[in-house]
Amino acid sequence: MHAADATRDLWRQENAEETEAEQEDFLLTQHDGLGVCEVGDPLRHFLGDPAPELAGYGTGATPILGCSCGLWGCWPLLTTITATPATVTWSSFRQPFRKEWGELPLGPYVFARPAYEAAIAQPVRLTEDPLRRG
């Protein structure tokens, strides 16, 4: 939902021919999660040390969301992850295929590192997508 809010005005400039309902559906479904098979070691990845093939298009950023088509690299959401012994911070969110958008108005988000690592170790499994309409 935050990514939709951060990109809504940018997308409206590009998708002016679509109805508002079509635009909103696109906004809410533009991203999907990253599978464990894609990130390899989730803890390492989400502490800002992704595998080389996921290392943010040479920006040093980490993909935290992939594309809804199932290919993470098709439309990733990138962020800079900074980890200290006490916190993990996500900042400088970007879309690598829209460099002209610059840094998106998201975050920074600061997480207590012990809770963050616990959440990665035991993720909540949803039975359905809370944003999917229908």
Side-chain angles (χ1 to χ4, degrees), residues 43-115:
L43 184 58
R44 184 178 137 203
H45 181 89
F46 288 103
L47 286 175
D49 186 21
E53 62 273 14
L54 297 172
Y57 301 88
T59 65
T62 300
I64 56 166
L65 290 174
C67 183
S68 59
C69 77
L71 300 173
W72 80 268
C74 180
W75 191 253
L77 179 63
L78 305 179
T79 190
T80 299
I81 299 176
T82 306
T84 71
T87 63
V88 177
T89 303
W90 291 7
S91 61
S92 301
F93 292 83
R94 296 189 177 274
Q95 176 20 264
F97 300 120
R98 294 294 192 280
K99 292 187 186 337
E100 67 276 12
W101 287 3
E103 188 173 323
L104 297 172
L106 285 168
Y109 301 109
V110 181
F111 309 96
R113 186 164 176 166

Side-chain angles (χ1 to χ4, degrees), residues 18-29:
E18 294 181 356
T19 68
E20 191 170 325
E22 290 170 329
Q23 289 178 10
E24 198 62 23
D25 185 56
F26 172 79
L27 284 166
L28 295 176
T29 60

Side-chain angles (χ1 to χ4, degrees), residues 112-128:
R113 186 164 176 166
Y116 183 89
E117 289 187 10
I120 291 171
Q122 299 271 320
V124 173
R125 306 233 185 256
L126 301 175
T127 57
E128 60 185 44

